[in-house]
Amino acid sequence: MPHLNIEYSDNLSALDTGALLLAMNQALLACGQFEERDIKSRAQKMDAFLIGVSLAQRAFVHAKLSILDGRTPAIRQDLAACLLQVLQQQCWPGGIEVQLCVEVLEIERASYAKACIEC
């Protein structure tokens, strides 16, 4: 824990997902809430999407951070703000409106199981 899932529209073809995931993981580590080896992130390009009803050029990036419950609303808000700042610092294409969103979700500890296997 945490798990960071990033969904983005496929019209952001120049998005360097490897660099973005590294920057997001570094930001999460700097927040002091997580152990480095526990931070897991992934990015998924969404081929089918629609933003509103206009024919305007629009794109999105939606980051969902899942964490175990028990952190205060202030900590969750800080995590969201930190990740949003990283997203805002990326190079986005001109001529297109890009909507950036971060959502922090809590997972009930009682319903989460984890095992680490070393071979």
Side-chain angles (χ1 to χ4, degrees):
M1 216 25 94
H3 289 272
L4 177 62
N5 293 285
I6 299 174
E7 297 175 343
Y8 65 98
S9 55
D10 75 347
N11 57 348
L12 295 174
S13 57
L15 180 62
D16 183 345
T17 54
L20 175 60
L21 292 176
L22 178 59
M24 298 288 264
N25 283 10
Q26 289 170 333
L28 288 171
L29 184 60
C31 289
Q33 293 292 315
F34 312 107
E35 296 293 324
E36 179 271 335
R37 70 178 183 205
D38 292 335
I39 301 169
K40 293 165 280 299
S41 61
R42 66 284 255 160
Q44 182 178 14
K45 179 172 44 173
M46 308 307 289
D47 297 325
F49 70 95
L50 180 64
I51 301 169
V53 296
S54 171
L55 297 178
Q57 286 285 356
R58 295 177 177 155
F60 75 89
V61 178
H62 185 99
K64 296 178 189 177
L65 178 66
S66 298
I67 60 174
L68 292 175
D69 62 2
R71 291 183 176 83
T72 66
I75 289 173
R76 295 192 308 269
Q77 186 177 28
D78 287 347
L79 289 167
C82 181
L83 292 176
L84 183 60
Q85 182 178 26
V86 172
L87 287 175
Q88 289 172 310
Q89 293 171 349
Q90 302 303 302
C91 293
W92 300 109
I96 187 169
E97 175 188 310
V98 182
Q99 296 182 25
L100 307 173
C101 306
V102 177
E103 177 180 12
V104 178
L105 307 167
E106 287 189 306
I107 296 175
E108 183 181 282
R109 288 177 189 270
S111 66
Y112 183 76
K114 176 181 173 179
C116 293
I117 311 238
E118 294 187 33
C119 299

